[in-house]
Amino acid sequence: MKNFELGQIENMLEKQGYIGSGSIAMSIFLVMQLEKPLLIEGPAGVGKTEIAKVMAKALETNLIRLQCYEGLDSTHALYEWNYQHQLLFLKMQESRGEDVKKLEETIFSDRFLLKRPVLQAISQEKRPVLLIDEIDRADEEFESFLLEVLSDWQVTIPEVGTIKASQKPQIILTGNRTRELSEALRRRCLYLWIDYPDFEKELAIVKTKVPEIDANLGEHICRFMTELRQLKLEKTPGISETIDWARALATMHLTHLDKKVVEDTLGVVLKDWQDMRHTQDALSELLEKTGVTSRIG
């Protein structure tokens, strides 16, 4: 992965249909050169997770995902013993009169080890992309555990010993800033902030993801989303909602937005009833700013 040039990274993103920016391509280039994790923060739905998916596809390697949540512990991230299979194996072998001490050595082997995402990532022969998604949702204790892995690239299983990564996985961590991450974690990573796209970038994304959309409708949708994000909403819609909306309206062969269409399809974009009410109250003004004043009924 170190052999990639910056221009190749930009081409790689473009071929995978990811409309990025110079800072995104540069961040990917640097983390591959330095073999360091990349911490990506930004609002929900701006394409943070997509970067890891695109990298894995472009590099033709495995994407291993660890979805973080409150209460996540090292057991679910690292490994578990398959106790049911161990017990079944013991009973079968005991009935055949096998030596118990030898059986105990056998049941703590790779055969009965359930590898969770972190262990899977450091056990791969080809360097994978490990996506640690929404790290800010995990507890601080899990973050501390992760620091050990990121420092030594090895894990210790008491019954087996230490397993060291032969190929360091390319790690992408994402966060929505629901809590502040530790300085220790930040120091171990390169950092990238991704914000909501401007009109031109979002229009380019829509044209790429929904090529069948009418050009005029695509512009209306992106202008509407730009203005909608200026409202104080509980859950501001991201790029994925824009794409869903564009696909939905494209299937109806529409060529422009109007008030009724927006009212009838607002549930594709907004997922909170207070946001729906707030937006409906401001709909005439939003449509005027979007440039479809003449069609408001």
Side-chain angles (χ1 to χ4, degrees), residues 2 29-36 127 168 190:
K2 273 189 171 184
F29 171 71
L30 290 176
V31 296
M32 291 170 68
Q33 292 295 313
L34 301 176
E35 296 187 328
K36 298 194 71 170
R127 190 180 190 187
K168 291 181 182 177
L190 300 190

Side-chain angles (χ1 to χ4, degrees), residues 12 21 29-30 46 62 82 86 89 99 116 176 182 185 188 198 205 230 232 243 270 285 294:
M12 179 182 80
S21 62
F29 171 71
L30 290 176
V46 294
N62 291 331
N82 192 332
Q86 284 175 321
F89 178 78
D99 184 84
R116 299 310 183 195
N176 299 326
S182 70
L185 179 65
R188 284 166 172 79
D198 58 25
I205 293 171
Q230 303 305 312
K232 290 184 179 179
I243 295 171
L270 298 174
E285 183 181 353
S294 59

Side-chain angles (χ1 to χ4, degrees), residues 44 67-72 133-140 174-176 178-179 181:
Q67 179 64 50
C68 297
Y69 53 86
E70 188 177 353
L72 175 66
D133 209 10
E134 299 183 322
I135 180 62
D136 50 333
R137 292 188 181 277
D139 300 321
E140 294 179 6
T174 70
N176 299 326
T178 56
R179 72 170 174 84
L181 299 174

Side-chain angles (χ1 to χ4, degrees), residues 42-162:
V46 294
K48 302 186 293 296
T49 302
E50 194 65 19
I51 289 179
K53 295 178 180 176
V54 167
M55 280 185 70
K57 281 183 183 176
L59 299 173
E60 297 181 344
T61 191
N62 291 331
L63 172 67
I64 300 173
R65 182 172 183 164
L66 174 61
Q67 179 64 50
C68 297
Y69 53 86
E70 188 177 353
L72 175 66
D73 57 22
S74 57
T75 301
H76 291 92
L78 199 55
Y79 74 94
E80 286 182 281
W81 289 109
N82 192 332
Y83 292 118
Q84 288 182 329
H85 282 190
Q86 284 175 321
L87 286 171
L88 184 61
F89 178 78
L90 278 175
K91 287 182 179 177
M92 290 175 63
Q93 298 304 314
E94 281 176 356
S95 65
R96 296 174 183 171
E98 296 287 340
D99 184 84
V100 175
K101 286 188 177 179
K102 285 186 178 179
L103 289 177
E104 288 178 351
E105 293 175 2
T106 305
I107 61 173
F108 291 113
S109 63
D110 199 60
R111 177 180 176 183
F112 299 99
L113 189 63
L114 298 174
K115 295 179 180 178
R116 299 310 183 195
V118 174
L119 184 55
Q120 286 178 27
I122 68 172
S123 303
Q124 301 274 310
E125 292 184 6
K126 185 177 181 180
R127 190 180 190 187
V129 174
L130 174 59
L131 169 63
I132 302 177
D133 209 10
E134 299 183 322
I135 180 62
D136 50 333
R137 292 188 181 277
D139 300 321
E140 294 179 6
E141 290 78 9
F142 178 76
E143 197 178 313
S144 300
F145 153 77
L146 201 57
L147 289 177
E148 295 180 18
V149 178
L150 296 182
S151 297
D152 303 327
W153 298 103
Q154 65 181 33
V155 296
T156 300
I157 301 173
E159 300 86 351
V160 175
T162 299

Side-chain angles (χ1 to χ4, degrees), residues 229-241:
R229 293 185 185 121
Q230 303 305 312
L231 300 180
K232 290 184 179 179
L233 301 175
E234 292 293 324
K235 298 185 185 303
T236 303
I239 299 172
S240 58
E241 282 78 14

Side-chain angles (χ1 to χ4, degrees), residues 224 227 231 258-260 262-263 266 277-297:
F224 185 88
E227 296 301 329
L231 300 180
D258 61 39
K259 191 172 184 178
K260 188 174 187 315
V262 175
E263 286 178 333
L266 209 49
R277 179 174 294 179
H278 185 30
T279 301
Q280 285 166 346
D281 291 342
L283 195 52
S284 294
E285 183 181 353
L286 283 172
L287 288 171
E288 185 175 352
K289 290 179 178 177
T290 304
V292 291
T293 310
S294 59
R295 296 185 179 92
I296 299 174

